[in-house]
Amino acid sequence: MERKVKTIGVLTSGGDAPGMNAAIRAVVRTGLSAGLRVKGILRGYNGLLEEDIIDMDSKSVSEIIQRGGTILYTARCLEMMKEEYQDKAAEICRKHSIDGLVVIGGDGSFRGAQTLAKRGINVVGIPGTIDLDIACTDYTIGFDTAVNTAMETIDRIRDTSTSHERCSVIEVMGRHAGYIALWCGIANGAEEILISERYDYDEQRIINNIIEKRKIGKKHYIIVNAEGVGDSNGMAKRIEAATGMETRATIIGHAQRGGSPTARDRLYASMMGAKAVDLLLAGATQRIVAYKNGKFVDYDIEEALSMTKDVDQYMYELAYRLAR
Ligand code: ATP
């Protein structure tokens, strides 16, 4: 019997995340070992529309599992939001005989993949984002590395903050999602965790707290601020003016995106890459690979994109209970 899928493509899209290379490697090598041709598409949907497509062999993914970033490069592609370009992208897949496409990225990238699935291209999405903000999965590629990088940086800031008896406002990434901030809040023992999912913008409460904690002898005050809350510099100035405690803002920024992926990111990304190819071989037409309740699973794209998730309330309250 003739197998349906003969050639697969792989691309990375949206923000990069450490571990994407491990996923690409797994897609390429799983595909090759199943007898498929594997094509790498450069710079996400931009590269697809520009036919920036290369043949991948086993060697093309050598020496990348330990590297951050993505060897396929990544980009945002506004054209892909328009139907005419979605038609064109599907045409290009057919022209290059790509009958299965693996898209590594976030929700937006999956929406792009969904438009191709509607045009008859088999697609499988792999969650790749440091933000952990994909509803159908408890794990996204890159979060573990990013949160560990942020945690180590905050440890360093804490040392100097304690020596100088300062207050520190430390901004971590996550756009509208507070997962990195929440995890660091607990892992670093921060006094405040400001995430857009919960923060009520009551700065006076924070100021009162700082004054109280100083009275009982606290030598530092760490505020972990999620990117979505923003204004860390302004907040530091206002806190210093109101409390008299020297206050500095640090925005950790893109350091959180780079660096060698953790063991978890390498392993889970490898599992997800292999699973994506297995799904295409089994005839999947539009699935998202996910990690749920300790297992690697998959969902229909439509279903996955309709799911919602929120930060764990117990975890959020715990952070404050432990920050006494
Ligand atoms: P991250 O979470 O890291 O930002 P993401 O995949 O959510 O990743 P987006 O910028 O939202 O990042 O989307 C990446 C790309 O996916 C977009 O630049 C665009 O090419 C495509 N895309 C996003 N939304 C859609 C949509 N509704 N229809 C078609 N394509 C889309």
Side-chain angles (χ1 to χ4, degrees):
M1 197 178 79
E2 210 189 18
R3 210 178 33 226
K4 256 185 168 171
V5 178
K6 288 184 179 150
T7 302
I8 60 170
V10 55
L11 62 81
T12 47
S13 164
D16 69 333
M20 280 183 164
N21 281 329
I24 295 167
R25 173 177 176 269
V27 168
V28 170
R29 294 200 171 157
T30 308
L32 294 174
S33 65
L36 302 177
R37 280 187 73 193
V38 185
K39 297 190 177 195
I41 298 155
L42 304 181
R43 285 177 283 278
Y45 294 116
N46 277 321
L48 182 58
L49 290 170
E50 286 160 18
E51 296 184 58
D52 227 342
I53 299 171
I54 54 172
D55 285 318
M56 308 285 285
D57 59 18
S58 191
K59 255 189 109 182
S60 59
V61 290
S62 294
E63 296 288 336
I64 67 166
I65 195 160
Q66 77 283 14
R67 280 166 51 194
T70 158
I71 59 159
L72 294 177
Y73 305 103
T74 184
R76 311 215 188 250
C77 171
L78 292 180
E79 287 173 335
M80 193 61 192
M81 314 286 248
K82 296 184 192 147
E83 287 200 10
E84 54 182 302
Y85 289 100
Q86 295 161 5
D87 292 340
K88 186 178 168 192
E91 262 323 298
I92 291 168
C93 285
R94 273 187 270 277
K95 180 177 161 192
H96 289 264
S97 312
I98 295 171
D99 28 36
L101 180 66
V102 178
V103 172
I104 307 167
D107 274 345
S109 304
F110 297 162
R111 289 211 167 80
Q114 190 181 26
T115 68
L116 296 176
K118 284 189 177 136
R119 288 162 176 78
I121 308 298
N122 301 322
V123 294
V124 176
I126 297 179
T129 168
I130 64 165
D131 300 343
L132 196 65
D133 61 347
I134 299 177
C136 69
T137 185
D138 300 334
Y139 164 84
T140 62
I141 295 171
F143 173 75
D144 194 57
T145 306
V147 80
N148 275 289
T149 302
M151 181 192 74
E152 285 166 16
T153 309
I154 296 171
D155 278 346
R156 289 180 167 85
I157 296 166
R158 186 190 178 114
D159 288 346
T160 171
S161 177
T162 307
S163 305
H164 289 268
E165 299 180 58
R166 262 183 207 140
C167 170
S168 290
V169 180
I170 305 164
E171 186 173 315
V172 298
M173 276 191 158
R175 285 189 311 171
H176 309 296
Y179 294 98
I180 296 180
L182 181 56
W183 280 54
C184 285
I186 295 175
N188 294 102
E191 276 68 34
E192 296 281 349
I193 300 145
L194 309 184
I195 57 176
S196 45
E197 295 93 330
R198 295 288 184 282
Y199 182 40
D200 58 4
Y201 292 86
D202 182 0
E203 218 165 90
Q204 193 55 49
R205 181 192 61 77
I206 299 171
I207 288 165
N208 294 344
N209 248 339
I210 295 171
I211 294 168
E212 277 308 303
K213 293 260 163 88
R214 269 209 113 173
K215 276 191 203 152
I216 59 164
K218 273 241 175 197
K219 298 290 180 219
H220 62 246
Y221 199 91
I222 306 267
I223 301 171
V224 177
N225 207 350
E227 189 179 3
V229 169
D231 190 29
S232 300
N233 284 306
M235 182 181 284
K237 283 194 187 112
R238 291 190 296 273
I239 288 174
E240 181 165 311
T243 63
M245 188 173 185
E246 191 187 355
T247 305
R248 296 273 172 90
T250 306
I251 296 165
I252 302 180
H254 281 88
Q256 291 159 97
R257 285 201 176 282
S260 185
T262 58
R264 181 184 297 266
D265 275 332
R266 295 180 199 195
L267 180 77
Y268 284 23
S270 299
M271 296 283 283
M272 286 181 154
K275 187 170 174 69
V277 176
D278 287 343
L279 284 167
L280 287 171
L281 288 168
T285 55
Q286 44 166 14
R287 308 293 291 177
I288 301 291
V289 177
Y291 182 79
K292 203 79 193 152
N293 304 321
K295 287 199 167 65
F296 291 95
V297 294
D298 56 283
Y299 294 100
D300 181 78
I301 289 194
E302 200 99 33
E303 186 191 359
L305 287 173
S306 69
M307 293 180 186
T308 54
K309 80 169 173 187
D310 190 13
V311 293
D312 187 318
Q313 183 61 20
Y314 182 81
M315 204 168 150
Y316 180 70
E317 286 169 11
L318 178 71
Y320 277 93
R321 273 197 279 150
L322 298 182
R324 291 192 170 271

